[in-house]
Amino acid sequence: PNPNRPLREDLVLQASLEAYGGVRREGRLSDRALEFVLRRKTLLYSTERRAVAERVYALLRRQRTVDFLLEHSHRNFETLDGTRQDVMRLAASRILHGEDPNYVARTCGLSGPDITVLDRLPDAAAELDALPEAKRFPIAASLPDFLAEKFRAVFGKDASRAAEAMNERAPLFARVNALKGDRAQLQERLAAEDVESTKPTALSPFGIVMETRLNIFSLQNFKDGWLEIQDEGSQLLGMLVDAPPTRVVDACAGAGGKTLQLAAQMKNRGDLHALDVDEGRMEDLRKRARRAGVHNVRTQIIPPEGPEAEAALAPLKGQADRVLVDAPCSGTGTFRRKPDARYRLTPESLAEHVARQKALLARFATLVKPGGRLIYGTCSVLREENEEVVEDFLAQHPEFTVRPVAEVLGAELGKKVGSGPFLRLAPHTHGTDGFFGAVLVRAK
């Protein structure tokens, strides 16, 4: 299909409205809502499908800002019917992201009074800028108030920069499967497949940055198991495990991005136990492992809690050289990719995450053998889920001590990824998703 063909704006708008409505009015996750709508819109060109996804994500990232601007440009914005509000939101978001207001108004089918509203957006933006910082920041960052406060606590004077970077589109990162070859070989193989514009990641020695418009899954190199989609920050967290070819446990394996990375660290030797509570994700992991040529992984479904969970883990007690607990978390580090997650998070759900993280760390610590290491990680930027969970664990488990990440990653890389003993990554500092990692060593 011809990529320069003009978008059929009416079709794009209709699909965008349906997907956006699925997220905001029916509570679907953004990626599922888009998939659901786009699967049924078989007539859209690939450029149009991409425009739908980009516009819906762009609006979700800037939801609070857009709503503020519209409420200040339109006297009765709240009283408009839902669809008309959403058309205005999609239009305002496109203008906010640099599109020409006249073109946007025309392609959204807006008439007189609505166009006047769009013309007033710059004045509304000036009103936003004039607010006192404490009021301005949550709206400009498009974060719920309680999260905005936490961002300011974590990032201090960099809070605005941090939030801005969280509202950009994320790059597409892939990791070379080290069982097949190295990064340079992968880049050569991709070039042979006409994928020219890849560059090495700045921090991870295994990563490449790819053109986001690419469908990786259709590449032969993907089918042959040469690469996995994995954020650079996630790759660095995987590197903290530094897994020897003995017995290693990935305690919250999920669909297994890090599991496969650990298998490569172990050179496919030893025993790598991948545990999770979800059968569907485990099935994904088995498929991915087959594609990657990984055969040292043993998958095990474990009950989420209670005596059954303890019983399931009994054979591994005190047996593992490394245990990775990549804990379920608020996802505050991944807002670039899951922009709607910020509106679902509440102080209550955050407290539940923290309680679960503490419980998981304590439970899986029992698998670490004397002299072994427990690696704790999250894709959150909040202290409650990171440093505070580690401090709480150490207070109750004096047999564990912190090993500074620089000692695992080497001084040069260590300096770049955390000024203290922990790994701390964020989009505005490292260009990765937000991640935290800690290495805890059990006394011999």
Side-chain angles (χ1 to χ4, degrees):
N2 168 12
N4 302 323
R5 190 165 39 191
L7 298 176
R8 293 169 297 176
E9 288 285 358
D10 51 334
L11 298 181
V12 173
L13 178 60
Q14 192 48 50
S16 302
L17 285 169
E18 285 178 38
Y20 177 73
V23 178
R24 294 298 289 169
R25 302 187 191 281
E26 295 159 38
R28 292 174 189 244
L29 299 175
S30 52
D31 50 351
R32 301 229 174 107
L34 276 159
E35 197 186 346
F36 178 75
V37 169
L38 292 175
R39 202 176 18 220
R40 298 190 353 263
K41 305 271 179 197
T42 47
L43 298 176
L44 290 182
Y45 309 138
S46 61
T47 48
E48 292 167 340
R49 310 171 91 77
R50 195 171 300 127
V52 171
E54 282 173 11
R55 285 178 193 178
V56 170
Y57 274 122
L59 171 52
L60 290 168
R61 288 192 189 104
R62 296 271 178 207
Q63 183 74 58
R64 274 200 85 172
T65 318
V66 165
D67 282 355
F68 175 94
L69 296 178
L70 285 171
E71 281 155 20
H72 286 71
S73 309
H74 191 302
R75 279 192 205 79
N76 315 334
F77 183 69
E78 292 91 7
T79 63
L80 299 180
D81 80 272
T83 303
R84 191 149 157 233
Q85 284 185 351
D86 291 352
V87 172
M88 297 294 290
R89 287 186 170 114
L90 284 158
S93 169
R94 287 170 61 190
I95 292 168
L96 198 61
H97 287 86
E99 289 192 54
D100 170 45
N102 297 324
Y103 176 74
V104 171
R106 201 170 64 243
T107 53
C108 287
L110 297 178
S111 58
D114 294 337
I115 292 176
T116 326
V117 171
L118 297 184
D119 289 339
R120 286 200 205 113
L121 290 175
D123 297 339
E127 284 179 57
L128 175 56
D129 285 339
L131 290 177
E133 181 56 19
K135 269 216 156 77
R136 190 197 69 85
F137 175 64
I139 298 167
S142 202
L143 290 169
D145 290 350
F146 92 100
L147 266 184
E149 222 166 283
K150 293 191 183 303
F151 263 61
R152 290 179 71 179
V154 171
F155 297 116
K157 62 180 191 326
D158 282 344
S160 279
R161 248 182 71 223
E164 278 302 308
M166 280 282 182
N167 289 334
E168 298 286 312
R169 218 166 94 204
L172 178 58
F173 291 111
R175 174 181 57 76
V176 63
N177 177 0
L179 296 173
K180 303 266 183 190
D182 64 21
R183 175 162 68 184
Q185 285 170 297
L186 171 62
Q187 287 183 282
E188 264 170 47
R189 292 178 62 101
L190 286 169
E193 226 182 317
D194 290 330
V195 180
E196 299 285 355
S197 54
T198 63
K199 29 185 223 296
T201 42
L203 300 163
S204 162
F206 306 105
I208 56 173
V209 190
M210 302 181 77
E211 181 45 61
T212 47
R213 296 172 183 273
L214 196 69
N215 177 6
I216 284 201
F217 304 111
S218 64
L219 296 175
Q220 195 54 48
N221 279 295
F222 178 81
K223 294 173 186 164
D224 293 344
W226 265 81
L227 72 161
E228 290 290 336
I229 295 176
Q230 187 184 2
D231 185 82
E232 185 181 15
S234 173
Q235 297 177 34
L236 292 162
L237 181 52
M239 286 170 67
L240 280 188
V241 182
D242 191 24
T246 49
R247 176 160 286 161
V248 174
V249 176
D250 184 353
C252 307
K258 287 187 207 66
T259 314
L260 301 180
Q261 184 182 356
L262 300 185
Q265 285 175 17
M266 297 165 75
K267 302 191 164 50
N268 239 343
R269 300 203 293 268
D271 287 318
L272 175 53
H273 298 264
L275 318 177
D276 201 82
V277 294
D278 184 319
E279 174 62 61
R281 290 195 297 238
M282 279 278 136
E283 195 37 56
D284 274 352
L285 168 54
R286 293 183 199 113
K287 276 199 200 90
R288 289 173 76 179
R290 283 195 291 276
R291 193 181 62 235
V294 163
H295 41 72
N296 64 342
V297 172
R298 307 167 173 217
T299 55
Q300 186 185 349
I301 306 289
I302 54 169
E305 56 211 349
E308 302 84 3
E310 304 312 315
L313 296 175
L316 288 170
K317 284 271 189 300
Q319 299 293 310
D321 284 300
R322 300 281 188 279
V323 175
L324 169 61
V325 180
D326 179 13
C329 71
S330 62
T332 46
T334 62
F335 286 165
R336 299 191 299 182
R337 297 176 199 283
K338 300 176 182 151
D340 48 320
R342 69 189 78 189
Y343 310 113
R344 289 199 174 81
L345 195 65
T346 61
E348 295 71 33
S349 62
L350 178 59
E352 283 165 24
H353 283 303
V354 171
R356 187 186 313 128
Q357 288 151 357
K358 290 177 177 174
L360 289 174
L361 201 50
R363 174 189 306 158
F364 292 120
T366 60
L367 311 187
V368 181
K369 70 187 212 190
R373 296 180 203 169
L374 176 64
I375 296 88
Y376 176 67
T378 71
C379 54
S380 171
V381 295
L382 306 181
R383 291 189 58 88
E384 291 94 320
E385 299 183 275
N386 296 334
E387 290 89 347
E388 289 175 24
V389 168
V390 171
E391 285 155 18
D392 181 80
F393 173 81
L394 292 172
Q396 296 174 49
H397 299 82
E399 71 279 21
F400 281 88
T401 51
V402 175
R403 178 156 198 207
V405 295
E407 290 179 22
V408 180
L409 298 175
E412 191 187 346
L413 183 54
K415 260 206 313 282
K416 295 178 185 164
V417 297
S419 50
F422 304 127
L423 176 80
R424 224 186 200 294
L425 306 171
H428 68 296
T429 45
H430 298 89
T432 66
D433 283 348
F435 278 95
F436 173 83
V439 181
L440 310 171
V441 182
R442 186 174 171 184
K444 278 214 165 67

